[in-house]
Amino acid sequence: MIEILIVDDHAIVREGLSRIIEFETDMVVTGIAKNSSEAINIISSHRLDVIVLDISMPGRSGLDVIKDIIIIQPKIRIIMLSMYQEERFAVRAFKAGASGYLTKEMASEEIVNAIRKVNSGGKYVSQRFAEKLVEELSAPSALLPHERLSDREFEVMTMMVSGKTISAIAQELSLSNHTVSTYRKRILEKMNLKSNAEIIFYAIEYGFWV
């Protein structure tokens, strides 16, 4: 039996995925968490096979806690769940230690296959992105400007590109406006850009535009 933990700050996502998994005879949802702190508590006290982990959550994001999870349970398999297309976060997720990446748009259709694939030792991404991902992970090259960003900085950048204001980003990530403004300043400095407009043009050029 594949023991699964679902971690997402939206109740409708947690409940929806749980119901899909309930129909599978070889899987069981052992735990449900709405943030990374709850997830760590469950992982520390239960043996698990697979975690379905949301990338964007208030407080510590999914990317932030991957290493902590692997330290607690080294054999655990992690499927990152995201509202963003693979181009935005998949490479970072796999480099951090994830075994799969699912967009929320496709999660209901692909979650069962993804769980079986990673539980058997494989990696899971959408077919259209698999070839591109292999190229990016294997090709040695100089860092692009956005690759110099921390995971949280990259997350803030993608939210800015989506048109969200400083206050909207702060509210969604449970941060202060000042903290988000500091992230924006670091993003501009690390990427050698001068304005939000330049960030958007960069995003268009490298395929991060929504």
Side-chain angles (χ1 to χ4, degrees):
M1 188 68 70
I2 305 173
E3 304 271 349
I4 301 160
L5 170 64
I6 298 174
V7 187
D8 195 288
D9 60 322
H10 294 96
I12 191 170
V13 175
R14 299 193 300 268
E15 293 169 5
L17 293 179
S18 295
R19 289 180 182 178
I20 292 170
I21 292 169
E22 283 175 0
F23 287 102
E24 305 303 316
T25 58
D26 60 337
M27 301 179 188
V28 60
V29 177
T30 301
I32 293 177
K34 64 178 179 293
N35 55 48
S36 57
S37 296
E38 289 185 3
I40 292 295
N41 289 337
I42 295 172
I43 294 163
S44 299
S45 57
H46 294 80
R47 187 199 70 79
L48 297 160
D49 299 302
V50 176
I51 301 175
V52 181
L53 179 65
D54 187 17
I55 281 185
S56 295
M57 295 182 290
R60 299 184 70 194
S61 70
L63 286 175
D64 287 337
V65 298
I66 288 180
K67 292 181 180 178
D68 292 347
I69 291 170
I70 293 173
I71 288 173
I72 297 169
Q73 292 201 41
K75 295 183 179 180
I76 210 162
R77 311 295 287 180
I78 301 171
I79 297 174
M80 301 305 298
L81 188 64
S82 176
M83 63 182 290
Y84 301 115
Q85 292 299 317
E86 293 99 326
E87 287 83 354
R88 297 216 178 177
F89 282 105
V91 172
R92 285 175 177 264
F94 278 88
K95 286 183 176 179
S99 298
Y101 189 100
L102 272 179
T103 63
K104 291 187 177 181
E105 180 182 8
M106 299 300 296
S108 61
E109 300 176 19
E110 300 182 10
I111 187 64
V112 170
N113 288 337
I115 289 171
R116 289 203 176 100
K117 183 71 176 289
V118 302
N119 187 65
S120 66
K123 304 285 186 182
Y124 191 91
V125 290
S126 67
Q127 184 63 39
R128 73 175 184 82
F129 187 67
E131 187 172 319
K132 179 178 180 180
L133 179 61
V134 169
E135 291 176 357
E136 290 197 31
L137 288 174
S138 60
S141 60
L143 288 178
L144 293 171
H146 69 271
E147 293 175 328
R148 303 188 190 108
L149 303 178
S150 69
D151 291 332
R152 180 62 96 185
E153 290 164 353
F154 186 75
E155 183 176 21
V156 170
M157 185 198 79
T158 61
M159 296 174 80
M160 291 170 59
V161 169
S162 298
K164 293 183 179 179
T165 63
I166 294 293
S167 58
I169 296 171
Q171 183 175 6
E172 185 168 333
L173 299 180
S174 297
L175 300 172
S176 68
N177 285 6
H178 176 73
T179 299
V180 175
S181 294
T182 299
Y183 279 128
R184 176 185 175 277
K185 181 180 179 181
R186 291 177 185 169
I187 291 165
L188 292 172
E189 289 174 350
K190 289 185 178 181
M191 297 180 65
N192 196 28
L193 301 174
K194 297 179 181 179
S195 65
N196 287 8
E198 290 191 4
I199 291 177
I200 291 172
F201 282 121
Y202 180 95
I204 294 172
E205 181 179 358
Y206 285 94
F208 300 131
W209 180 255
V210 176

